[in-house]
Amino acid sequence: MTGNHKDKSITRRRAIVVTGGTVAAGGLAVAGYQAAFADTSTTTTEAAATASTTASESSGCMTLMSSVTEGPYYLDNALVRKDITEGKSGVPLTLRLTVVDATDGCTPVKGAAVEIWHCDAWGYYSGYTTANPGGSAPAESEDGSTANDNTYLRGYQIANANGVVKFETIFPGWYTPRTCHIHLKVHTGGQKEDGTYEGGKVNYTGQLFFADDIAEEIFTLEPYSKHSGSYTTLDNDMVYDGGGASSGLLTLKAVHKTEPAKGYKGFLTIGVDPDAENTGAGSGGGGGEGGTPPSGAPGDAPSGTPSAAASS
């Protein structure tokens, strides 16, 4: 993979992100957090975790991070499904993301399509099987992933009436020179067709991040520990700008206090302008600061629409 990043600029588009459930009057509030997640089986513990995170925040919407690069590993036409693991092993991660309209009192954006993609426990992305994650990692084929048309750890979910989507995935690994992260896009105006999301426009392109102490503990566990090398912390990452939740840092809640291998639940609320269109990142190859591994080259993106059995 080439390390060619001649264009170091990061596209800036207006987007607002608020943590947990604290938004302006007329939108979601901490008191209404459980209602917002009623149909996704949110527990009292989860609601309390998010409420405590937002307790020190202003009651109004905060202008936070702008859109950033989509990175070099984007594939179009990912599947609409909640479970995106496709058998990939790793520490379980449940994501609950809420999309709100930053231009209308942070009201929920029903029908928004949230798309995420990330690497596996060893730093590999589906569709790019020749990419070198840096350091020393097993070959991707050791995990049974030998085809460029795999779609593991990629998918869409459509926001419910409360603007909420939920994904079941695994904790991402890492690749040089990036910190642990998840890519995402928010789309509006399209529709679900044959298991994929079609049409509409991209309102926001961003990344989700993980606290260093949690990530580094996870990376001591199997199968992550088979990937050795120099892990990039948040402070040294080329995309994360140090803004905490305002820059995409997830609120994380361990499923079990003393057993990290049992998994985590992550929360974030993303405010967008549904009338805006994010055109900064090219399709397929990405651009700007994406964090290309130091050697090797990504395989060509598979032709046509990725095919796999969709699970809603």
Side-chain angles (χ1 to χ4, degrees):
M1 172 168 297
T2 64
N4 185 8
H5 290 294
K6 293 181 179 178
D7 181 2
K8 293 295 184 179
S9 63
I10 295 179
T11 300
R12 297 293 177 179
R13 288 277 180 175
R14 181 167 58 138
I16 296 176
V17 180
V18 291
T19 58
T22 303
V23 295
L28 301 175
V30 172
Y33 177 81
Q34 283 184 292
F37 288 92
D39 63 345
T40 55
S41 304
T42 299
T43 66
T44 301
T45 300
E46 292 164 8
T50 304
S52 64
T53 300
T54 61
S56 62
E57 305 287 0
S58 166
S59 60
C61 289
M62 299 179 297
T63 301
L64 302 175
M65 77 177 186
S66 298
S67 293
V68 299
T69 178
E70 73 179 21
Y73 300 127
Y74 180 67
L75 293 180
D76 201 3
N77 295 323
L79 300 169
V80 177
R81 55 187 179 173
K82 181 166 63 176
D83 187 338
I84 65 173
T85 55
E86 286 190 18
K88 278 290 182 176
S89 59
V91 171
L93 175 66
T94 298
L95 285 176
R96 287 186 175 92
L97 307 174
T98 305
V99 182
V100 297
D101 184 348
T103 69
D104 186 25
C106 289
T107 54
V109 182
K110 178 182 178 181
V114 178
E115 176 187 15
I116 67 170
W117 68 101
H118 64 84
C119 68
D120 69 4
W122 297 337
Y124 295 106
Y125 282 84
S126 60
Y128 296 93
T129 58
T130 61
N132 182 343
S136 177
E140 188 183 32
S141 59
E142 289 188 24
D143 198 4
S145 305
T146 59
N148 265 347
D149 62 355
N150 283 344
T151 57
Y152 59 79
L153 308 178
R154 299 178 185 270
Y156 284 82
Q157 276 288 277
I158 310 301
N160 65 15
N162 296 310
V164 175
V165 298
K166 177 182 176 181
F167 290 96
E168 300 294 343
T169 185
I170 62 169
F171 206 99
W174 58 274
Y175 58 94
T176 305
R178 292 300 315 282
T179 193
C180 181
H181 64 284
I182 291 175
H183 297 268
L184 84 159
K185 289 179 182 283
V186 176
H187 308 246
T188 55
Q191 58 186 347
K192 177 181 176 181
E193 293 184 2
D194 298 327
T196 64
Y197 182 82
E198 306 291 343
K201 60 188 176 185
V202 176
N203 305 111
Y204 174 72
T205 301
Q207 297 183 22
L208 307 176
F209 297 95
F210 300 80
D212 288 329
D213 59 340
I214 294 176
E216 289 170 353
E217 182 176 29
I218 293 295
F219 297 155
T220 66
L221 307 174
E222 291 283 353
Y224 303 88
S225 60
K226 291 183 178 180
H227 184 191
S228 61
S230 180
Y231 170 68
T232 301
T233 61
L234 288 170
D235 286 345
N236 293 313
D237 187 65
M238 62 175 65
V239 176
Y240 180 70
D241 64 8
S246 68
S247 297
L249 189 67
L250 288 162
T251 295
L252 293 171
K253 178 67 178 179
V255 172
H256 192 283
K257 290 182 179 180
T258 61
E259 297 183 48
K262 290 188 177 296
Y264 280 84
K265 296 180 179 181
F267 309 89
L268 196 69
T269 300
I270 305 164
V272 301
D273 178 354
D275 295 324
E277 184 169 8
N278 179 276
T279 58
S283 62
E289 298 182 35
T292 305
S295 61
D300 293 333
S303 59
T305 303
S307 60
S311 59
S312 57

